[in-house]
Amino acid sequence: GAGVSQSPRYKVAKRGQDVALRCDPISGHVSLFWYQQALGQGPEFLTYFQNEAQLDKSGLPSDRFFAERPEGSVSTLKIQRTQKEDSAVYLCASSLVQGMWTEAFFGQGTRLTVV
Amino acid sequence: AQRVTQPEKLLSVFKGAPVELKCNYSYSGSPELFWYVQYSRQRLQLLLRHISRESIKGFTADLNKGETSFHLKKPFAQEEDSAMYYCALSPPGGSGNTGKLIFGQGTTLQVKP
């Protein structure tokens, strides 16, 4: 595809439900990032992958949040037992290499609303 | 602590007026600084990077390490500049820059005709 693709674009979940958010990075991009953006705030770092290895998960807010990238391409962010405070836009970004700076390209985001 | 502060949530100017979007950062080291922009109904995209020292769409930003600031400036605003602007820093890692970004809260720039 032409860019980073995220699905679904919108998700409404009842409190307590589990959700899975998908990110398709740009083909060949080694690095993949997840960010959480609450209403009126800037994006906040959640986790980072280099290929299939999750090298930094320091931003995950609780053990209800889990991310994986098993084949070094598509990534899934899973949130278990969703809470109202999980309502946010979840952004995925990918970049070509790690170890030197290359531009990160962002997806359109998934807007999660927990009711 | 690593932090980026954008003190203005909204900046409203008339077309042709100068623009300055403020950004201050807190980081004990030499991070890389960026400005990202999000136009209405579009995805977040890189506007400029301090190391490149380029002018993009007429915007420039100078890194002032003494004041830990990275303000974004444009001498004459255009209506198409209306967007949300985020200042961000990327901390260097042990094996090079991972690309992880720490964002400010964002400033909405509104350029009136």
Side-chain angles (χ1 to χ4, degrees), chain A residues 4 33 35 37 101 106, chain B residues 9 34 43 49 86 98 101:
Chain A
V4 178
F33 306 84
Y35 293 86
Q37 186 172 20
W101 184 85
F106 282 81
Chain B
K9 284 195 91 68
F34 307 87
R43 59 189 69 192
R49 178 186 175 209
Y86 295 97
T98 66
L101 293 164

Side-chain angles (χ1 to χ4, degrees), chain A residues 63 77 105 108:
Chain A
D63 58 8
L77 177 67
F105 293 88
Q108 323 93 303

Side-chain angles (χ1 to χ4, degrees), chain A residues 1-18:
Chain A
V4 178
S5 179
Q6 293 186 245
S7 60
R9 291 292 312 278
Y10 304 91
K11 176 70 179 177
V12 178
K14 289 187 178 178
R15 192 170 53 181
Q17 271 186 333
D18 297 348

Side-chain angles (χ1 to χ4, degrees), chain A residues 85-103:
Chain A
E85 60 264 27
D86 300 334
S87 296
V89 174
Y90 290 85
L91 296 170
C92 176
S94 71
S95 64
L96 188 56
V97 297
Q98 187 270 342
M100 55 178 283
W101 184 85
T102 56
E103 182 177 348

